[in-house]
Amino acid sequence: MSAALPSALLSLLAASAFQSTPSSSFSRSAPSRAGLLLLANYISRSQAVSLDKRASQLQTSSNGSSFIWTIQDAYQGKTFFDTFDFFTGQDPTHGMVNYTDRDTAFTNNLSFVTDDGKVVMKGDDSTWLASGVYRNSVRISSQKQYNTGLFILDLNHAPWGCGVWPAWWTLGGGQWPYTGEIDIIEGVHDNAHNQVTWHTGPNCTLNPNTSFTGTIVQSNGQPNLDCDGTINNNAGCGVTEWSRASYGPVFDAQGGGVFAMKWDDEGIAVWSFYRAAVPKDVLNGQPDPSSWGEPVAALDPSGCDPLTNFVNHSIIFDITFCGDWAGNSYATSGCPGTCTDRLMDPSNFVNASWNINTLKVYKKQTLAGLVTGGAKSDLHTPTLRQVLWIGLILPLLPLLAV
């Protein structure tokens, strides 16, 4: 119960619990009955308030069922890295990076948690390198895999800088790209606009008529709607955010913010909020995507089945350098020199770091029979409140019969 018990109820409970030996059966049972009845009534009212609050976040699926998003996993603080593995293989995107193991990352302060619970991952910003030598960094992957969910990342700082290529993404188990990849935060250099991208096997296309605020990434002057990663040189179907506060120095300068990715049978959508615009329902731990307005990017099931094209996804954070995107785009980025030369000086990477408050994963919880507004419940199906009331009263019946 969230509030203290009323004083009158406490008095009756005390009377029923600590009274001296009674002179009659009435004096023995009446206070106990009164106290228990008041306690049951109070618990019922408290539960009703809780249900009313949850009902305010009630959402409706396309099949008409009611649900809310409930917390499934919270990655934060000192235990953040306990359920992540450190990737130490060669960078699949051909970056000039050495991904370090867990011990090396912690020993060299490439990964750590601050005293106030901030999670930090960074590229090496203290070591001078000879030309052509790769720079140390981190890539971590969640041990747990997901099939749908609402993923909400609250962060103070995301990596950026000339030659820097960070990403927060999810990756399917099995052979790429047939189980899918969802790039939620991704960019290069000091770009101001985040890019959301999907990579899949065949039979997945981005529907341009879906409602979202971003701009579809083009290929050869045309919107690239094909997400098929088996096609040569296909970089997936991507959407660039309109906001200049979604990536890079502007995002970090105003205190970071929140990114959310919703993945369910209704598709995959991404929202971003700079710090001052984070919705209250997110801050309160009762997220309601239906109240957030249009997403910045969305993959609609009319063109791509979100359940068969995306399977067994792990959550990944990484920071690489140069490579297929940051390296190939370096000459036109406005950055000085070459990407290889840029990599030598550690002072160029002081902003190549993640600083994370929390990463929370929510799952859909269907609420069968919950009555909202003026709707009436099915006469044959008890409401959730009725079930809770029965569960509270039944254990008290033997005591009330005394």
Side-chain angles (χ1 to χ4, degrees):
M1 287 173 282
S2 58
L5 292 174
S7 58
L9 177 55
L10 286 172
S11 299
L12 276 171
L13 289 175
S16 62
F18 299 109
Q19 61 181 323
S20 59
T21 304
S23 58
S24 69
S25 60
F26 175 81
S27 63
R28 179 171 60 248
S29 61
S32 297
R33 288 177 184 170
L36 290 170
L37 283 170
L38 276 172
L39 177 60
N41 182 61
Y42 179 77
I43 293 173
S44 176
R45 290 177 179 272
S46 298
Q47 187 62 50
V49 171
S50 175
L51 284 172
D52 287 341
K53 288 180 178 178
R54 295 183 67 150
S56 68
Q57 305 299 330
L58 197 64
Q59 298 164 63
T60 304
S61 295
S62 56
N63 63 8
S65 63
S66 298
F67 70 93
I68 59 173
W69 291 102
T70 61
I71 190 70
Q72 180 176 4
D73 294 299
Y75 300 94
Q76 58 191 3
K78 297 297 183 182
T79 62
F80 182 94
F81 292 106
D82 292 354
T83 51
F84 279 88
D85 292 325
F86 282 70
F87 175 83
T88 57
Q90 291 186 343
D91 182 8
T93 62
H94 309 106
M96 300 182 69
V97 62
N98 292 317
Y99 285 129
T100 64
D101 60 30
R102 181 185 301 267
D103 290 342
T104 302
F106 287 134
T107 299
N108 293 281
N109 287 327
L110 301 182
S111 297
F112 59 92
V113 180
T114 65
D115 291 340
D116 59 350
K118 303 294 189 296
V119 176
V120 177
M121 292 170 280
K122 58 189 292 187
D124 173 22
D125 60 359
S126 62
T127 306
W128 276 89
L129 302 176
S131 180
V133 176
Y134 290 5
R135 185 163 293 278
N136 285 353
S137 186
V138 293
R139 169 175 162 171
I140 63 171
S141 177
S142 67
Q143 296 167 2
K144 188 168 185 177
Q145 294 181 325
Y146 298 90
N147 289 283
T148 73
L150 177 60
F151 303 75
I152 299 181
L153 177 67
D154 185 320
L155 69 166
N156 305 302
H157 188 282
W160 60 275
C162 288
V164 179
W165 177 7
W168 173 46
W169 49 302
T170 67
L171 178 66
Q175 184 179 358
W176 187 92
Y178 297 99
T179 53
E181 174 182 330
I182 308 170
D183 301 324
I184 310 164
I185 300 178
E186 189 174 26
V188 293
H189 313 307
D190 56 356
N191 289 359
H193 303 275
N194 179 52
Q195 182 170 309
V196 178
T197 308
W198 295 274
H199 304 268
T200 67
N203 305 315
C204 180
T205 58
L206 179 63
N207 183 349
N209 297 318
T210 305
S211 179
F212 53 84
T213 62
T215 303
I216 298 174
V217 176
Q218 295 190 346
S219 177
N220 298 319
Q222 297 295 323
N224 184 24
L225 305 179
D226 197 339
C227 309
D228 186 0
T230 65
I231 300 174
N232 288 337
N233 301 316
N234 185 18
C237 50
V239 175
T240 302
E241 292 200 40
W242 65 271
S243 173
R244 291 183 58 84
S246 61
Y247 184 84
V250 178
F251 176 78
D252 291 343
Q254 48 81 51
V258 165
F259 283 81
M261 186 269 284
K262 181 176 75 73
W263 166 26
D264 58 16
D265 59 326
E266 299 177 358
I268 302 173
V270 173
W271 290 262
S272 68
F273 308 98
Y274 57 89
R275 180 61 60 196
V278 177
K280 288 184 179 180
D281 57 271
V282 172
L283 298 175
N284 294 336
Q286 296 180 325
D288 179 8
S290 65
S291 69
W292 297 346
E294 288 184 334
V296 298
L299 186 66
D300 192 80
S302 62
C304 185
D305 188 327
L307 303 183
T308 59
N309 286 293
F310 302 88
V311 181
N312 295 334
H313 274 224
S314 296
I315 303 167
I316 300 177
F317 292 90
D318 73 58
I319 307 170
T320 188
F321 311 106
C322 303
D324 293 341
W325 187 3
N328 292 340
S329 64
Y330 195 90
T332 58
S333 67
C335 292
T338 67
C339 202
T340 299
D341 291 342
R342 184 77 178 178
L343 201 66
M344 299 169 63
D345 185 349
S347 67
N348 292 330
F349 302 96
V350 293
N351 292 306
S353 63
W354 297 99
N355 185 302
I356 296 169
N357 294 316
T358 59
L359 167 59
K360 295 181 179 180
V361 182
Y362 294 82
K363 63 180 179 180
K364 275 187 174 179
Q365 179 65 56
T366 301
L367 301 179
L370 179 62
V371 178
T372 58
K376 294 182 179 179
S377 63
D378 187 331
L379 293 176
H380 302 288
T381 304
T383 67
L384 182 58
R385 187 178 300 175
Q386 289 168 341
V387 172
L388 288 168
W389 172 251
I390 293 170
L392 290 168
I393 287 299
L394 283 178
L396 300 178
L397 289 179
L399 297 172
L400 293 173
V402 175

PDB file of all heavy atoms in Angstrom, residues 79-94:
ATOM      1  N   THR A  79      25.337  -2.731 -11.857  1.00  0.00           N
ATOM      2  CA  THR A  79      25.118  -4.060 -12.442  1.00  0.00           C
ATOM      3  C   THR A  79      24.936  -4.022 -13.961  1.00  0.00           C
ATOM      4  O   THR A  79      24.670  -5.055 -14.574  1.00  0.00           O
ATOM      5  CB  THR A  79      23.869  -4.720 -11.813  1.00  0.00           C
ATOM      6  OG1 THR A  79      22.711  -3.912 -12.103  1.00  0.00           O
ATOM      7  CG2 THR A  79      24.022  -4.843 -10.305  1.00  0.00           C
ATOM      8  N   PHE A  80      25.075  -2.866 -14.558  1.00  0.00           N
ATOM      9  CA  PHE A  80      24.795  -2.724 -15.994  1.00  0.00           C
ATOM     10  C   PHE A  80      25.565  -3.737 -16.832  1.00  0.00           C
ATOM     11  O   PHE A  80      24.995  -4.413 -17.694  1.00  0.00           O
ATOM     12  CB  PHE A  80      25.144  -1.301 -16.450  1.00  0.00           C
ATOM     13  CG  PHE A  80      24.851  -1.029 -17.904  1.00  0.00           C
ATOM     14  CD1 PHE A  80      23.644  -0.471 -18.283  1.00  0.00           C
ATOM     15  CD2 PHE A  80      25.782  -1.311 -18.897  1.00  0.00           C
ATOM     16  CE1 PHE A  80      23.360  -0.220 -19.627  1.00  0.00           C
ATOM     17  CE2 PHE A  80      25.513  -1.063 -20.236  1.00  0.00           C
ATOM     18  CZ  PHE A  80      24.291  -0.517 -20.594  1.00  0.00           C
ATOM     19  N   PHE A  81      26.866  -3.864 -16.593  1.00  0.00           N
ATOM     20  CA  PHE A  81      27.703  -4.698 -17.453  1.00  0.00           C
ATOM     21  C   PHE A  81      27.611  -6.188 -17.122  1.00  0.00           C
ATOM     22  O   PHE A  81      28.154  -7.014 -17.864  1.00  0.00           O
ATOM     23  CB  PHE A  81      29.165  -4.253 -17.350  1.00  0.00           C
ATOM     24  CG  PHE A  81      29.432  -2.898 -17.951  1.00  0.00           C
ATOM     25  CD1 PHE A  81      29.647  -1.790 -17.134  1.00  0.00           C
ATOM     26  CD2 PHE A  81      29.466  -2.724 -19.325  1.00  0.00           C
ATOM     27  CE1 PHE A  81      29.894  -0.542 -17.675  1.00  0.00           C
ATOM     28  CE2 PHE A  81      29.707  -1.479 -19.883  1.00  0.00           C
ATOM     29  CZ  PHE A  81      29.928  -0.379 -19.051  1.00  0.00           C
ATOM     30  N   ASP A  82      26.925  -6.547 -16.031  1.00  0.00           N
ATOM     31  CA  ASP A  82      26.875  -7.942 -15.603  1.00  0.00           C
ATOM     32  C   ASP A  82      26.213  -8.852 -16.626  1.00  0.00           C
ATOM     33  O   ASP A  82      26.521 -10.045 -16.697  1.00  0.00           O
ATOM     34  CB  ASP A  82      26.123  -8.067 -14.269  1.00  0.00           C
ATOM     35  CG  ASP A  82      26.879  -7.433 -13.112  1.00  0.00           C
ATOM     36  OD1 ASP A  82      28.031  -7.008 -13.321  1.00  0.00           O
ATOM     37  OD2 ASP A  82      26.309  -7.361 -12.006  1.00  0.00           O
ATOM     38  N   THR A  83      25.282  -8.320 -17.390  1.00  0.00           N
ATOM     39  CA  THR A  83      24.540  -9.149 -18.344  1.00  0.00           C
ATOM     40  C   THR A  83      24.846  -8.771 -19.797  1.00  0.00           C
ATOM     41  O   THR A  83      24.028  -9.010 -20.688  1.00  0.00           O
ATOM     42  CB  THR A  83      23.023  -9.051 -18.075  1.00  0.00           C
ATOM     43  OG1 THR A  83      22.647  -7.671 -17.998  1.00  0.00           O
ATOM     44  CG2 THR A  83      22.663  -9.736 -16.756  1.00  0.00           C
ATOM     45  N   PHE A  84      26.020  -8.161 -20.009  1.00  0.00           N
ATOM     46  CA  PHE A  84      26.506  -7.874 -21.359  1.00  0.00           C
ATOM     47  C   PHE A  84      27.820  -8.608 -21.588  1.00  0.00           C
ATOM     48  O   PHE A  84      28.643  -8.744 -20.673  1.00  0.00           O
ATOM     49  CB  PHE A  84      26.736  -6.369 -21.551  1.00  0.00           C
ATOM     50  CG  PHE A  84      25.493  -5.589 -21.864  1.00  0.00           C
ATOM     51  CD1 PHE A  84      24.702  -5.080 -20.844  1.00  0.00           C
ATOM     52  CD2 PHE A  84      25.105  -5.357 -23.175  1.00  0.00           C
ATOM     53  CE1 PHE A  84      23.553  -4.354 -21.119  1.00  0.00           C
ATOM     54  CE2 PHE A  84      23.962  -4.634 -23.463  1.00  0.00           C
ATOM     55  CZ  PHE A  84      23.186  -4.124 -22.436  1.00  0.00           C
ATOM     56  N   ASP A  85      28.034  -9.066 -22.809  1.00  0.00           N
ATOM     57  CA  ASP A  85      29.306  -9.662 -23.203  1.00  0.00           C
ATOM     58  C   ASP A  85      30.094  -8.667 -24.044  1.00  0.00           C
ATOM     59  O   ASP A  85      29.509  -7.868 -24.791  1.00  0.00           O
ATOM     60  CB  ASP A  85      29.071 -10.943 -24.025  1.00  0.00           C
ATOM     61  CG  ASP A  85      28.463 -12.058 -23.194  1.00  0.00           C
ATOM     62  OD1 ASP A  85      28.795 -12.161 -22.004  1.00  0.00           O
ATOM     63  OD2 ASP A  85      27.645 -12.826 -23.749  1.00  0.00           O
ATOM     64  N   PHE A  86      31.421  -8.717 -23.935  1.00  0.00           N
ATOM     65  CA  PHE A  86      32.299  -7.836 -24.699  1.00  0.00           C
ATOM     66  C   PHE A  86      32.755  -8.559 -25.966  1.00  0.00           C
ATOM     67  O   PHE A  86      33.326  -9.641 -25.910  1.00  0.00           O
ATOM     68  CB  PHE A  86      33.502  -7.424 -23.854  1.00  0.00           C
ATOM     69  CG  PHE A  86      33.206  -6.340 -22.857  1.00  0.00           C
ATOM     70  CD1 PHE A  86      32.408  -6.604 -21.747  1.00  0.00           C
ATOM     71  CD2 PHE A  86      33.707  -5.065 -23.022  1.00  0.00           C
ATOM     72  CE1 PHE A  86      32.111  -5.611 -20.823  1.00  0.00           C
ATOM     73  CE2 PHE A  86      33.424  -4.054 -22.105  1.00  0.00           C
ATOM     74  CZ  PHE A  86      32.619  -4.328 -21.003  1.00  0.00           C
ATOM     75  N   PHE A  87      32.465  -7.936 -27.100  1.00  0.00           N
ATOM     76  CA  PHE A  87      32.845  -8.488 -28.398  1.00  0.00           C
ATOM     77  C   PHE A  87      34.312  -8.166 -28.671  1.00  0.00           C
ATOM     78  O   PHE A  87      34.745  -7.023 -28.495  1.00  0.00           O
ATOM     79  CB  PHE A  87      31.952  -7.862 -29.474  1.00  0.00           C
ATOM     80  CG  PHE A  87      32.292  -8.244 -30.881  1.00  0.00           C
ATOM     81  CD1 PHE A  87      31.820  -9.429 -31.426  1.00  0.00           C
ATOM     82  CD2 PHE A  87      33.069  -7.416 -31.684  1.00  0.00           C
ATOM     83  CE1 PHE A  87      32.115  -9.785 -32.732  1.00  0.00           C
ATOM     84  CE2 PHE A  87      33.369  -7.758 -32.994  1.00  0.00           C
ATOM     85  CZ  PHE A  87      32.892  -8.948 -33.518  1.00  0.00           C
ATOM     86  N   THR A  88      35.080  -9.160 -29.108  1.00  0.00           N
ATOM     87  CA  THR A  88      36.520  -8.950 -29.329  1.00  0.00           C
ATOM     88  C   THR A  88      36.956  -9.344 -30.745  1.00  0.00           C
ATOM     89  O   THR A  88      38.155  -9.382 -31.028  1.00  0.00           O
ATOM     90  CB  THR A  88      37.354  -9.754 -28.317  1.00  0.00           C
ATOM     91  OG1 THR A  88      37.013 -11.144 -28.408  1.00  0.00           O
ATOM     92  CG2 THR A  88      37.091  -9.269 -26.894  1.00  0.00           C
ATOM     93  N   GLY A  89      36.017  -9.611 -31.630  1.00  0.00           N
ATOM     94  CA  GLY A  89      36.372  -9.991 -32.996  1.00  0.00           C
ATOM     95  C   GLY A  89      36.683  -8.785 -33.863  1.00  0.00           C
ATOM     96  O   GLY A  89      36.661  -7.633 -33.414  1.00  0.00           O
ATOM     97  N   GLN A  90      36.997  -9.061 -35.120  1.00  0.00           N
ATOM     98  CA  GLN A  90      37.234  -7.985 -36.069  1.00  0.00           C
ATOM     99  C   GLN A  90      35.927  -7.262 -36.367  1.00  0.00           C
ATOM    100  O   GLN A  90      34.854  -7.864 -36.389  1.00  0.00           O
ATOM    101  CB  GLN A  90      37.834  -8.536 -37.365  1.00  0.00           C
ATOM    102  CG  GLN A  90      39.249  -9.052 -37.230  1.00  0.00           C
ATOM    103  CD  GLN A  90      39.847  -9.454 -38.574  1.00  0.00           C
ATOM    104  OE1 GLN A  90      39.132  -9.649 -39.553  1.00  0.00           O
ATOM    105  NE2 GLN A  90      41.167  -9.576 -38.604  1.00  0.00           N
ATOM    106  N   ASP A  91      36.030  -5.962 -36.602  1.00  0.00           N
ATOM    107  CA  ASP A  91      34.848  -5.161 -36.878  1.00  0.00           C
ATOM    108  C   ASP A  91      34.252  -5.562 -38.229  1.00  0.00           C
ATOM    109  O   ASP A  91      34.912  -5.435 -39.261  1.00  0.00           O
ATOM    110  CB  ASP A  91      35.229  -3.679 -36.876  1.00  0.00           C
ATOM    111  CG  ASP A  91      34.033  -2.767 -37.116  1.00  0.00           C
ATOM    112  OD1 ASP A  91      32.896  -3.272 -37.124  1.00  0.00           O
ATOM    113  OD2 ASP A  91      34.252  -1.557 -37.278  1.00  0.00           O
ATOM    114  N   PRO A  92      32.998  -6.035 -38.251  1.00  0.00           N
ATOM    115  CA  PRO A  92      32.376  -6.421 -39.526  1.00  0.00           C
ATOM    116  C   PRO A  92      32.220  -5.255 -40.497  1.00  0.00           C
ATOM    117  O   PRO A  92      32.045  -5.476 -41.704  1.00  0.00           O
ATOM    118  CB  PRO A  92      30.998  -6.952 -39.089  1.00  0.00           C
ATOM    119  CG  PRO A  92      31.148  -7.305 -37.653  1.00  0.00           C
ATOM    120  CD  PRO A  92      32.125  -6.316 -37.097  1.00  0.00           C
ATOM    121  N   THR A  93      32.270  -4.012 -39.973  1.00  0.00           N
ATOM    122  CA  THR A  93      32.141  -2.834 -40.843  1.00  0.00           C
ATOM    123  C   THR A  93      33.504  -2.252 -41.220  1.00  0.00           C
ATOM    124  O   THR A  93      33.587  -1.128 -41.709  1.00  0.00           O
ATOM    125  CB  THR A  93      31.284  -1.757 -40.164  1.00  0.00           C
ATOM    126  OG1 THR A  93      31.914  -1.317 -38.956  1.00  0.00           O
ATOM    127  CG2 THR A  93      29.904  -2.293 -39.835  1.00  0.00           C
ATOM    128  N   HIS A  94      34.567  -3.024 -40.969  1.00  0.00           N
ATOM    129  CA  HIS A  94      35.929  -2.699 -41.413  1.00  0.00           C
ATOM    130  C   HIS A  94      36.484  -1.413 -40.787  1.00  0.00           C
ATOM    131  O   HIS A  94      37.270  -0.694 -41.408  1.00  0.00           O
ATOM    132  CB  HIS A  94      35.990  -2.613 -42.948  1.00  0.00           C
ATOM    133  CG  HIS A  94      35.396  -3.810 -43.613  1.00  0.00           C
ATOM    134  ND1 HIS A  94      34.163  -3.788 -44.238  1.00  0.00           N
ATOM    135  CD2 HIS A  94      35.852  -5.081 -43.722  1.00  0.00           C
ATOM    136  CE1 HIS A  94      33.871  -4.993 -44.714  1.00  0.00           C
ATOM    137  NE2 HIS A  94      34.891  -5.794 -44.429  1.00  0.00           N
TER     138      HIS A  94
END
